[in-house]
Amino acid sequence: MPHFTLDGRTIPFEPGQTLMEAAMAAGVYIPHLCYHPDFEPHGSCKLCSVEVNGRICSACTFPAAENQEVISASEEVRHLRLRLTQMLFVEGNHLCPSCEASGSCELQATGYYLGMTDGHFSHFFPRREIDASHPEVLLDRDRCIFCALCVRASRDEGKNVFALSGRGIHTRLVVNSPSGKLGDTDLEATDRAAHICPVGAILVRGTAFRAPIGERKYDHRTIAQVALEEERPLVGRQHGQAED
Amino acid sequence: MGKPKIRIATTSLAGCFGCHMSFLDIDERLLDLVEIAELDRSPLTDIKHCTDCDIAIVEGGVCNSENVHVLRELRRACKKLVSIGACAINGGIPALRNRYDLGDCLEEAFITGIGVTDPQVPGDPELPLLLDKVHPIHEVVKVDYFIPGCPPSGDTIWAVLTDLIEGREPVLPYELTHYD
Amino acid sequence: MPSDPIQTAALAVERYGNHLSSLLAILRQLQQSHHYVPRPAMEKVAERLAVPLAEVEAVTEFYSFLHSFPQGRYEIYFSNCIIDDLQGRETLQRRLCERLKMAVGTTRADGLVSVAETSCTGLCDQGPAILVNGHAIGSLTGEKIDRIADLIEQQICVEDWPAKWFRIEDRFERRDLLLTAAWQSGKALKSALRRGPEYVLEALSDSGLRGRGGAGFPTAKKWRFCREAAGEHYIVCNADEGEPGTFKDRVLLRHHADQLLEGMTLAAFVTDARRGFIYLRAEYAFLRAELEAAMRQRRRQGLLGRNICGLMDFHFDIEIVMGAGAYICGEESALLDSIEGRRGQPRNRPPYPVTAGLWGQPTVVNNVESFIAASLIVLNGGAWFAGVGTEKSKGTKLLSIGGDCRWPGIYEVPFGMTVTEIMILCGAGETLGVQVGGPSGTFIGPGEYDRRIAFEDLGTGGSFMVFGKERDMLEIVRNFTDFFAHESCGFCTPCRVGTSILVHLLDKLRNGWGTAGDILELERLGRVVRQGSHCGLGHTAANPLLDTLERFPDRYQAPLQEIDFSPGFDLDGELETARRLTDRFSAADHLTQE
């Protein structure tokens, strides 16, 4: 089997695999927010940035190749990831104490994993629209990080409920209905798109705070441990294909 | 005579004093603390103004002119400034008001709101003027260390404090790192 | 023109076709007819094209010249390129807004007019410039602005404004190899047909021609890779000349269109492509009619269309696709997405367009100048071209020179010419520096004027901006950085967020609130944006900042506060609302900045 090295460790890969897929399959966690093994890679959050032969690449989209030297654990890469995470925090309104995703939020858990204690930059405090029109699902755009997982999940389900609109710092999540409201779409609480949000932007109502503090997803286990346990078995499956 | 005691000041700006309550949660370790440290300006001592300090701990964000004055006094007086809790670090719950225009808020609260009698925005010079937005303190003064949490646990505060007192760079273990 | 947007939408779908790749043209039609894209019209388009409504909305909101909210019946955009700014754009913009009693960035309450800023419109040789309902007007003066305001108030149709205002002047200040070569329509193509595709590829290879858009990929290789890739092949001309300061494609498209079309046809011959596209930036809409006339002429001559040169199996035709205001669409993969009717977002690479371009098929994407050079190389042989230039950069380069010099215009110079030589040619006096290759290129100061225009030294797509000695360095850098923030597609975190933070920090410096820590922060953040971004826009967005920090540290140090920290926002200004509402204006009701 061909292989590359990741932080000095030999990682075998199958032709066609990305660096992320090969690393995850080998049990090595690379931070990520917009990547999910069930969906076509997006490559936008850049948390999975690694150094490949001296250049920064996104592990989730970059194809693995023989004799590549990949660095993920350097101080430089860690600093880059920390700053990217901080950018995502200050760009939106991520006020964890008031968010019901707190404790099971991947952005927050990534912050913990990277040892982030503050936002570093000035906060943007943008004013974004909240959509509470749907009886079962709440859309709080304050927390959207534009990972497009909901867009991809809904597209794969044939519903296309979500899309990213606008441009640059004015990018925003929009909803596919004449009114632009979630309540007028065919989204159902059982849809994958309603559950895939890595942060607290799309929330299924009536499920908040079921797990008490101390028993939430990332209270005792790091996002690296959780991701390897939950996503590793999915790596290598066709995107969008359900498990039999 | 023993070693001079470490001087610590604490204050709460636009916050709920939850971080101070959590500070008290270090419980009997308070006794260890007072062996080596002395509290300067703090709600616990009721000292109104700061003298030279080693460490200042600030809870809460900056929402008005008084917050700015207090924060600057602490910054000038201390060697190391510690930002504690969600409000100080990113504005926290008070920053939820940042989605509204300040003028609209004051008008609704004091002029056009239901049940308002004698409509006028209170303008007594004693009252601090509100800023348009609630800001994290690192946007107003230089901050040296951050203790996240809402509030951070007593253990978290103790861990950082002991590191600082003993001259170590504080590093929080995973279990003690929380933004909520 | 129907007054019902739904009807406009239906007619536009009839006209352009009910497929996704018509979407941009349909949206442009709606914007033109109704001065925005009303939601019911979006619904109609979504239904007819069988795409989600949210996607129609998302495409609309991606492009600067398309709007989901009403604009004025006169839509005015001021080009805010630094060169237009140095020529007094802001004063003129203020003057117009005062005359029209409105604020920039808004639509007037009566719906008559909207005034906004846009990125460089490609008229730096005759700025300041504006676009009025898509029509370009250059060489603005205060008097012209006053007359424009009057014409708008009198509701005179833009088509009836003085015709001379719309005349775009093209100044050739120096001609060399390309601009002096003899040309006869169809001759290169016939020669290629006679000698075969391998001859064309060899001539291109011998010539050493590299892509003129700036990246410099060898043209022969690109065409060969595409030829060898299996599938339906496409030829795309990138005429989305958006790099601030450049306008050479504007001039080439007008005066050398036939050579361009022949170059594209040659590429089609080599790769066996049947369809070609010219992606023309919206700002150059005034060139469209002439280009179409040039295509018609070639079709009449049997040089374009079916059975080219009488051959049974050579069919190739070209369509013009209009952009709608997005610099990022100059990035080739974003351009392809835009042609396909999507948001112009750069794709993940690999694969590259030569193997997976338009609709996933092998595609040659070249710059206007590259196609023109290719047609002349086939005509005159590789050696003719390779005889000029340097070892790694053969031939000549067209420069668009603007800014503080006596003779702005088009200069065709051999590769290897030094900046000093160029500065003499264009009549530059004492200078602060030159931005070579636009904001994404390199800023150099007088100490480096012995450097050469060449891929191996100072690469450039054609922009060459001269800045006089008295110019404000921070204003220039702020303008460039803001340009990138405005044009960022928003896809990746470092570019979307990082460029905005850079602008914020540069504003802090310009407000006089900067400290030494801010300089350090700018430098570090600049590197994060450069390293971490998804595409060339993000990779180069911090170039102006990092280049000048390295070369002119004094200009950054001079305005700094001596303290080690200062807030990045106007602390006292944030008390103004409360002061006003409580009627408190004593000294105690103010805050100092630090």
Side-chain angles (χ1 to χ4, degrees), chain C residues 310-382:
Chain C
L311 291 178
M312 293 294 287
D313 55 352
F314 189 16
H315 317 296
F316 175 70
D317 215 332
I318 298 172
E319 297 160 45
I320 297 174
V321 176
M322 297 301 298
Y327 166 74
I328 191 62
C329 291
E331 196 278 342
E332 59 178 6
S333 68
L335 184 152
L336 297 176
D337 267 26
S338 185
I339 293 181
E340 290 180 17
R342 303 172 203 283
R343 291 156 63 78
Q345 273 175 355
R347 300 175 179 177
N348 284 306
R349 299 191 298 177
Y352 292 89
V354 278
T355 55
L358 264 184
W359 299 292
Q361 301 299 310
T363 305
V364 165
V365 186
N366 271 137
N367 179 257
V368 174
E369 192 180 341
S370 308
F371 279 122
I372 291 173
S375 64
L376 289 168
I377 287 164
V378 171
L379 194 62
N380 299 308

Side-chain angles (χ1 to χ4, degrees), chain C residues 181-235:
Chain C
W183 177 253
Q184 194 188 330
S185 200
K187 201 173 163 192
L189 185 60
K190 283 169 190 158
S191 151
L193 293 179
R194 219 168 33 243
R195 306 190 210 192
E198 276 304 323
Y199 167 77
V200 175
L201 290 173
E202 264 168 45
L204 286 177
S205 179
D206 292 347
S207 75
L209 176 65
R210 295 169 66 176
R212 267 28 184 174
F217 191 80
T219 307
K221 262 194 193 170
K222 189 181 273 186
W223 291 19
R224 185 179 292 281
F225 288 158
C226 184
R227 173 181 162 79
E228 286 165 1
E232 175 97 40
H233 296 70
Y234 295 101
I235 308 300

Side-chain angles (χ1 to χ4, degrees), chain A:
Chain A
M1 216 165 161
H3 64 270
F4 62 90
T5 64
L6 176 59
D7 298 321
R9 193 180 147 175
T10 302
I11 308 283
F13 69 93
E14 284 164 27
Q17 271 188 324
T18 60
L19 292 175
M20 176 73 84
E21 286 165 338
M24 289 286 277
V28 181
Y29 170 73
I30 298 175
H32 56 269
L33 287 168
C34 72
Y35 168 78
H36 188 288
D38 275 353
F39 304 102
E40 191 192 331
H42 201 235
S44 61
C45 76
K46 299 291 165 193
L47 258 291
C48 72
S49 291
V50 289
E51 200 184 310
V52 183
N53 300 337
R55 236 183 83 212
I56 298 288
C57 300
S58 301
C60 73
T61 56
F62 205 75
E66 187 77 68
N67 298 326
Q68 267 167 343
E69 265 195 56
V70 183
I71 298 168
S72 174
S74 70
E75 180 47 35
E76 197 185 355
V77 172
R78 195 198 72 88
H79 175 260
L80 174 63
R81 289 175 184 157
L82 175 66
R83 286 290 179 262
L84 294 174
T85 308
Q86 288 165 323
M87 284 181 193
L88 290 172
F89 266 95
V90 303
E91 169 192 32
N93 296 306
H94 296 277
L95 306 168
C96 299
S98 69
C99 177
E100 58 186 76
S102 194
S104 54
C105 165
E106 292 180 28
L107 178 65
Q108 190 185 57
T110 302
Y112 297 166
Y113 179 80
L114 295 168
M116 174 189 134
T117 57
D118 71 308
H120 183 76
F121 303 110
S122 290
H123 285 251
F124 286 51
F125 294 124
R127 287 180 187 169
R128 297 183 185 162
E129 202 186 330
I130 291 174
D131 182 347
S133 62
H134 195 287
E136 295 174 297
V137 183
L138 179 76
L139 172 58
D140 186 341
R141 292 188 174 84
D142 275 346
R143 301 162 187 157
C144 180
I145 57 169
F146 314 111
C147 68
L149 274 169
C150 61
V151 178
R152 285 173 280 165
S154 188
R155 187 184 60 202
D156 289 357
E157 283 170 319
K159 288 193 178 177
N160 290 302
V161 171
F162 299 104
L164 288 179
S165 189
R167 187 170 96 186
I169 198 67
H170 306 294
T171 301
R172 63 196 187 98
L173 187 67
V174 294
V175 167
N176 191 34
S177 67
S179 63
K181 295 285 184 198
L182 209 51
D184 294 326
T185 66
D186 50 359
L187 180 77
E188 290 166 275
T190 48
D191 288 356
R192 189 85 193 271
H195 297 268
I196 196 71
C197 183
V199 290
I202 301 172
L203 296 164
V204 176
R205 294 178 187 232
T207 61
F209 308 115
R210 284 207 181 142
I213 290 174
E215 290 173 29
R216 300 169 306 178
K217 200 168 182 179
Y218 301 111
D219 276 343
H220 306 291
R221 294 192 311 153
T222 68
I223 192 165
Q225 293 167 318
V226 173
L228 286 173
E229 186 185 301
E230 291 185 356
E231 296 171 17
R232 193 178 171 189
L234 307 177
V235 170
R237 267 188 353 185
Q238 281 290 326
H239 305 306
Q241 209 174 64
E243 196 109 47
D244 286 324

Side-chain angles (χ1 to χ4, degrees), chain B residues 68-90:
Chain B
V68 176
H69 294 306
V70 172
L71 180 59
R72 283 177 170 168
E73 179 184 310
L74 261 73
R75 177 68 270 189
R76 274 193 297 271
C78 75
K79 293 195 184 100
K80 296 289 175 203
L81 188 94
V82 182
S83 174
I84 187 170
C87 304
I89 291 173
N90 65 18

Side-chain angles (χ1 to χ4, degrees), chain B residues 25-45:
Chain B
D25 275 346
I26 66 175
D27 293 336
E28 71 277 11
R29 287 169 293 192
L30 274 171
L31 299 175
D32 301 334
L33 185 65
V34 294
E35 286 294 315
I36 50 168
E38 198 169 1
L39 283 177
D40 193 286
R41 174 184 175 144
S42 167
L44 308 178
T45 58

